[in-house]
Amino acid sequence: MDRLDAMAVLLAVVEGGSLSAASRRLKTPLPTVSRRISELERHLKTRLLNRSARQITLTDAGKSYVEACRVIVEQVDEAERTAMGEYAIPRGSLKITAPVVFGRIHLLPVALEFLKAYPEIDLRLVQSDHVLNLLEDRIDVAVRIGELTDSSLLATRVGATRRVVCASPAYLAARGKPQKPEDLKMHDCISLENLSTANAWRFVTGKGERTVPVRSRLFATTAESAIDAAIAGAGITRVLSYMVDSARRAGTLEFVLEEFEPPAWPIHIVHSGQGSAPAKLRAFIDWVAPLLKARITGHT
């Protein structure tokens, strides 16, 4: 049995949540994945996974073993990267993640220029509005919007974004502009998941924060849908300012209630900071950070 290979299979099962997910990730037949886990358990003379029809969970022995496996696999990966020169010369692959719309509007154009400048580096861009775990998902670099909660991450601030309320000029002409947050109860609203609830939005006044009730005629799971609906005149929506900058400049959306906006959210580039950073990572951050800062500043 190749124990290092078995460790990698075990980590894939744990991170994927199932044997079938590990099989897809590793591009390995499902019976092979199951056999590797069984061989490892026989070698250790203990059960690592509790298997049921619905889920797989770690035993107590499995939890401690998986943590040790992560350290070992990462040390082997780092040794291989060092041997291949990734710490001296910018080469290899980087896995980066960013929110969906931010990735398309800001990160992708900068990343394409980076690829031209560094032909020996390949990028994998994972666009997701969910916060991915850098270690578990093997992410090298992430763009995070909002206050950082993980103090172990190394962060470079590249700007900020506002939570703005907007609607089409045609809608506002027909229904009137809200002058204060409470006026929203008289309007059709379009709420965006992860940014607001369907029945209340939060604002800031001289007396502090307050939540006002809204009637969401549409509750969207993607910013693109909420923005398209607002441009079409379906109502008032609340999104992040970078998402609608082009629409505002084009005159298809108009901001309202700007004096009641909550404080802007910071935007950071973050990485785990564990061990010495390979040259490819240093090159990416040094290239991307100032360009993103310039783009965000120019669109604020």
Side-chain angles (χ1 to χ4, degrees):
M1 180 188 63
D2 185 330
R3 277 188 285 174
L4 188 60
D5 176 65
M7 288 179 183
V9 171
L10 175 63
L11 289 176
V13 171
V14 173
E15 292 166 4
S18 68
L19 296 178
S20 57
S23 172
R24 291 190 297 270
R25 175 175 171 177
L26 298 173
K27 295 181 174 58
T28 301
L30 182 59
T32 302
V33 171
S34 179
R35 185 170 64 254
R36 290 282 189 278
I37 298 299
S38 297
E39 289 173 349
L40 187 59
E41 289 179 327
R42 283 198 299 272
H43 172 74
L44 296 171
K45 296 182 174 60
T46 188
R47 181 175 293 278
L48 300 173
L49 301 174
N50 290 317
R51 301 171 177 82
S52 70
R54 292 187 176 181
Q55 64 179 350
I56 287 180
T57 59
L58 286 167
T59 64
D60 289 340
K63 291 176 183 177
S64 59
Y65 188 72
V66 162
E67 291 306 312
C69 286
R70 283 201 177 100
V71 174
I72 293 169
V73 170
E74 179 58 34
Q75 288 176 339
V76 171
D77 288 345
E78 185 167 330
E80 290 179 345
R81 290 195 297 266
T82 301
M84 291 187 293
E86 287 190 8
Y87 283 82
I89 302 170
R91 64 161 63 114
S93 61
L94 283 173
K95 187 177 180 181
I96 56 181
T97 185
V100 175
V101 178
F102 187 93
R104 176 174 56 82
I105 293 176
H106 288 307
L107 184 57
L108 182 59
V110 173
L112 294 178
E113 293 301 315
F114 175 81
L115 289 174
K116 293 178 183 177
Y118 290 89
E120 293 191 64
I121 298 180
D122 301 323
L123 298 179
R124 180 183 178 191
L125 176 58
V126 180
Q127 292 173 249
S128 173
D129 290 329
H130 298 286
V131 177
L132 303 181
N133 185 292
L134 270 60
L135 294 179
E136 291 182 1
D137 294 296
R138 297 180 179 273
I139 302 291
D140 295 295
V141 187
V143 174
R144 293 278 168 84
I145 298 176
E147 298 297 334
L148 298 177
T149 57
D150 188 346
S151 60
S152 68
L153 299 177
L154 294 182
T156 301
R157 180 165 175 154
V158 293
T161 186
R162 298 155 49 202
R163 284 163 280 180
V164 299
V165 178
C166 56
S168 70
Y171 174 89
L172 295 174
R175 301 287 295 274
K177 292 184 181 181
Q179 301 300 313
K180 56 186 185 298
E182 286 77 10
D183 293 343
L184 290 173
K185 65 183 178 182
M186 305 299 295
H187 287 270
D188 298 334
C189 292
I190 305 163
S191 292
L192 174 61
E193 189 179 55
N194 296 329
L195 197 61
S196 61
T197 65
N199 56 13
W201 292 357
R202 182 170 295 178
F203 293 90
V204 171
T205 66
K207 298 179 181 179
E209 290 190 354
R210 72 171 182 265
T211 301
V212 300
V214 298
R215 182 193 180 197
S216 291
R217 299 296 311 283
L218 175 65
F219 189 71
T221 59
T222 68
E224 291 92 340
S225 294
I227 294 166
D228 287 347
I231 292 173
I236 297 176
T237 192
R238 186 177 213 176
V239 292
L240 297 179
S241 55
Y242 71 83
M243 297 175 175
V244 289
D245 179 70
S246 60
R248 186 188 193 187
R249 292 172 184 264
T252 55
L253 286 177
E254 184 177 336
F255 289 0
V256 297
L257 301 175
E258 291 182 85
E259 63 269 36
F260 300 102
E261 291 175 7
W265 275 340
I267 303 174
H268 292 92
I269 298 175
V270 303
H271 64 98
S272 67
Q274 293 193 350
S276 57
K280 61 181 180 180
L281 177 58
R282 296 194 304 270
F284 182 80
I285 293 174
D286 290 346
W287 176 279
V288 168
L291 294 180
L292 276 182
K293 188 176 295 185
R295 290 181 64 91
I296 295 168
T297 302
H299 290 76
T300 299

